[in-house]
Amino acid sequence: MDPCFFADNSHLSCPGSAKETNNITTKRVRTIIDYSKRRDDDIHDQLEKKLLENPTLTLRAHHSCILTYTSKEHCRRHSGKSDSGTLNATPSSPKRTRHSEKLFHFQFNCLFCGNLCKEDPKHPNRGSKIVYCRTGDRKEIGQASFKSNILRICHERGDELARQVRTRVEGAVSDLHAVEARYHLDCYKKFINKKNIDHLKSEKTDETDQALIMLADYVNQHQHEIWNSLELHNVYLEYGGNIKRKRMMLNLKTMLASTHVVLSCHNYASIMVHKSGANKLIKLVDDKDAAEETDDVYIGNIAAKIKNESKDRQPENGKYNIRMNKDIATRPVSPTLIKLLTRISKSLTYECLPAIMIGNMITSLVTNRYTPLLVDLGVKLKDRNMIDTMHQYHTCCSYDEMLRFKSSAAQSEESRIGKQGLFNQENGLVQVMTDNFDANICSQNGLKSTHAIAMLITQYGSSNEVENDDEDFDLTIPRLTKQASRSPELPDIE
DNA sequence: CCGGGATTAAATGATATCAG
DNA sequence: CTGATATCATTTAATCCCGG
């Protein structure tokens, strides 16, 4: 067999005689010369000499060797980072698909909170009671239907939750009972609760609270007096105000922020005083550094707490989860962190995915282990570039870890299947059903038709084992060591 | 602080797939 | 078939981390 031209001609590592070499046409030889010039090596000199001697020169070489040699990518690698401009080209952003949006099914999710709304067959009485929408309209004429009632309350509430609920309700093609809508009784109660609605309303109308404005005027007129919150609230009530003391103080504080200060101490009524008079009471320090220092202390405390909680919840090192759901994803997240996040934004609550993501990222960074969610995301991303990119942001595991998971999963599954013994006739009759099926336009053969057979193998009786498995099925698989995941032990074939 | 194992990013090589 | 590109596993040097 003729040796590969590239075997001793370049720095490429040619597989040598391991594979058959191919005939290389004269045309291709010329392209090799071109690339050789670009690479600035001595191959083009050699080849051009040979070509002069024999204008119809052909060579023997491995196809892949030529591909590697002439690949733009390899040329770029070879020529170093001189033209690294293209290197920094950012990878295309991931496509936004419809299924990346949170899905809502009337049959599975609560109409109001949007969370899973299904009875647990094992514990039917556990959790909030589930109500199924049964009737379309009220019997009495003139009574608003359940649907229009909800829409009315949505209008009254006017908050984010109401917006979501309205989208759901209006999205129902027909009546709610027709789409088998359901909801948690508690959620419904919370939703229609008058107090909650009033609370939302009062929040909105704070700015136009006449009683508060009058109170502010009153306080302004008596600049030299010192008020405590109880006195202020009494005056406020006299003016016809209707919100609680604490909230009133907060609102008043923001209204009078430029002229008055509020001095508060835990368990004592807050004191409001004009800034000019405050120094009589307490020596005021307008020191930014001091404020920052106390901030530092607070942040330090919270950080330490979150760190400890995260460490307590670190995922087991030797196990991988094989299932993924919100519960598993939330497990490693520090509750304090969630509290903090919820304070920052209402869209970062305990239940929402971004908060879970942030929590997982933090736990992973603190404990230096990948949480199940990160591994899951890594597997989902699949593409190496994506994984590398997202891993830089620590939103998924490293590519290596993903490989390791796959390898662990494969080996674990292999041993499990081995034990199943579906094809062992001693466990019961093995039944095989086959049928051919019609052409699928996507998978046609050369004759533009498919000739495919579907096969189903079952065994009655062998399900016993599976059912047992289901009861307390091990939801984890062992995490193999690096070495074991790379060089799998081949199963013994008997 | 240090040593050694574990992990990682980047480079590389091999093969598959795409497009003309 | 050719050339370009995508995909993927592996190697390697650098870095990290943990226990002593």
Side-chain angles (χ1 to χ4, degrees):
Chain A
M1 192 171 67
D2 301 304
C4 173
F5 172 73
F6 289 95
D8 48 9
N9 251 319
S10 78
H11 54 278
L12 297 174
S13 75
C14 171
S17 56
K19 277 184 73 180
E20 189 77 35
T21 53
N22 305 55
N23 258 331
I24 304 303
T25 61
T26 316
K27 187 190 162 201
R28 203 120 195 245
V29 172
R30 290 193 188 280
T31 42
I32 295 173
I33 292 173
D34 280 351
Y35 277 97
S36 165
K37 281 175 184 168
R38 273 189 230 177
R39 281 174 174 252
D40 200 23
D41 56 20
D42 56 2
I43 287 181
H44 64 273
D45 287 332
Q46 283 181 42
L47 282 176
E48 270 174 334
K49 263 185 208 165
K50 284 189 188 175
L51 210 59
L52 278 175
E53 291 166 16
N54 174 11
T56 56
L57 174 77
T58 55
L59 292 172
R60 299 287 294 181
H62 294 113
H63 190 66
S64 68
C65 284
I66 295 176
L67 275 184
T68 308
Y69 189 74
T70 58
S71 148
K72 263 189 185 170
E73 176 66 13
H74 280 258
C75 282
R76 197 180 54 71
R77 285 178 192 169
H78 179 77
S79 58
K81 274 126 201 153
S82 54
D83 53 350
S84 57
T86 51
L87 260 181
N88 294 332
T90 47
S92 61
S93 59
K95 275 184 192 163
R96 211 175 93 95
T97 56
R98 227 184 320 169
H99 63 254
S100 63
E101 301 273 319
K102 196 181 173 189
L103 281 176
F104 177 83
H105 285 294
F106 285 104
Q107 296 161 33
F108 303 128
N109 303 107
C110 168
L111 185 59
F112 297 102
C113 72
N115 294 324
L116 198 64
C117 185
K118 251 186 164 177
E119 260 171 28
D120 189 344
K122 285 178 197 162
H123 316 282
N125 296 325
R126 196 176 280 182
S128 174
K129 202 188 162 199
I130 293 168
V131 184
Y132 302 92
C133 297
R134 298 279 188 217
T135 54
D137 291 297
R138 294 274 161 82
K139 294 270 162 52
E140 301 96 323
I141 300 160
Q143 269 269 28
S145 71
F146 183 58
K147 190 172 169 177
S148 56
N149 243 337
I150 295 176
L151 289 175
R152 180 178 55 78
I153 293 166
C154 283
H155 177 72
E156 277 178 30
R157 288 180 70 105
D159 62 344
E160 172 61 18
L161 178 65
R163 194 192 60 75
Q164 284 179 11
V165 173
R166 179 184 301 161
T167 315
R168 287 169 197 155
V169 173
E170 287 179 341
V173 181
S174 54
D175 288 322
L176 289 174
H177 71 285
V179 291
E180 296 182 49
R182 60 200 59 195
Y183 53 87
H184 298 115
L185 189 60
D186 290 351
C187 295
Y188 173 65
K189 280 180 182 164
K190 253 186 234 165
F191 189 72
I192 61 160
N193 188 299
K194 218 164 177 327
K195 265 189 197 166
N196 285 347
I197 297 174
D198 286 346
H199 181 68
L200 283 167
K201 270 189 190 166
S202 68
E203 253 183 18
K204 269 196 230 157
T205 52
D206 272 345
E207 292 88 21
T208 56
D209 190 338
Q210 284 302 318
L212 196 67
I213 292 169
M214 283 156 76
L215 177 67
D217 279 347
Y218 180 72
V219 172
N220 263 329
Q221 281 163 24
H222 303 74
Q223 285 194 357
H224 301 293
E225 290 193 34
I226 296 163
W227 311 89
N228 74 40
S229 60
L230 285 170
E231 293 163 0
L232 285 172
H233 194 237
N234 282 334
V235 177
Y236 174 72
L237 289 178
E238 273 174 36
Y239 285 136
N242 61 354
I243 36 178
K244 292 254 169 70
R245 182 161 54 90
K246 273 196 177 166
R247 179 151 282 282
M248 180 210 76
M249 279 306 286
L250 272 175
N251 293 341
L252 191 63
K253 188 180 170 184
T254 47
M255 278 178 82
L256 300 174
S258 53
T259 53
H260 286 70
V261 281
V262 174
L263 309 168
S264 54
C265 177
H266 190 57
N267 281 342
Y268 290 89
S270 302
I271 292 172
M272 177 163 257
V273 60
H274 192 264
K275 275 184 179 167
S276 62
N279 53 0
K280 283 176 206 159
L281 266 179
I282 273 178
K283 194 176 179 219
L284 287 182
V285 186
D286 193 15
D287 189 351
K288 255 194 175 172
D289 288 349
E292 273 175 16
E293 221 165 81
T294 46
D295 274 1
D296 254 14
V297 174
Y298 287 140
I299 291 172
N301 286 342
I302 296 170
K305 200 172 176 194
I306 292 174
K307 196 172 165 186
N308 284 335
E309 281 180 359
S310 293
K311 278 195 173 167
D312 283 348
R313 280 147 206 275
Q314 69 175 328
E316 263 187 273
N317 206 11
K319 295 270 175 76
Y320 282 122
N321 272 64
I322 60 170
R323 300 265 167 86
M324 178 48 61
N325 56 34
K326 236 177 193 180
D327 183 43
I328 295 171
T330 317
R331 233 171 266 166
V333 180
S334 146
T336 311
L337 176 66
I338 294 287
K339 268 189 211 164
L340 179 69
L341 290 174
T342 313
R343 281 289 182 85
I344 294 169
S345 162
K346 274 183 186 164
S347 49
L348 285 174
T349 59
Y350 185 68
E351 285 289 339
C352 84
L353 300 183
I356 296 174
M357 185 75 238
I358 295 169
N360 270 276
M361 285 164 71
I362 288 177
T363 302
S364 172
L365 285 165
V366 168
T367 63
N368 209 35
R369 284 183 195 171
Y370 295 114
T371 63
L373 178 66
L374 297 191
V375 177
D376 180 63
L377 288 176
V379 174
K380 282 226 169 81
L381 284 177
K382 195 169 168 284
D383 174 75
R384 174 156 198 176
N385 275 327
M386 291 282 277
I387 292 182
D388 281 348
T389 310
M390 295 315 278
H391 182 239
Q392 282 170 358
Y393 295 93
H394 217 92
T395 45
C396 74
C397 66
S398 69
Y399 182 72
D400 259 24
E401 186 68 17
M402 192 272 290
L403 289 182
R404 194 153 155 188
F405 169 78
K406 279 188 164 181
S407 181
S408 301
Q411 289 194 44
S412 158
E413 185 65 5
E414 197 279 326
S415 66
R416 199 178 69 83
I417 286 175
K419 283 180 208 147
Q420 231 175 20
L422 180 64
F423 306 111
N424 186 350
Q425 58 180 12
E426 281 167 20
N427 292 333
L429 180 66
V430 176
Q431 301 179 67
V432 181
M433 287 144 268
T434 59
D435 197 0
N436 56 346
F437 58 87
D438 284 339
N440 179 342
I441 203 80
C442 303
S443 60
Q444 53 194 212
N445 58 14
L447 302 171
K448 300 210 166 185
S449 68
T450 6
H451 196 78
I453 288 182
M455 184 183 279
L456 187 66
I457 304 177
T458 67
Q459 185 173 38
Y460 184 79
S462 68
S463 58
N464 290 348
E465 264 182 70
V466 180
E467 265 175 33
N468 281 342
D469 271 3
D470 234 18
E471 273 300 309
D472 48 0
F473 184 64
D474 190 9
L475 288 175
T476 60
I477 54 171
R479 181 178 189 254
L480 300 176
T481 61
K482 189 94 179 167
Q483 272 188 327
S485 73
R486 283 304 166 90
S487 49
E489 278 179 38
L490 290 172
D492 296 331
I493 300 164
E494 289 164 26

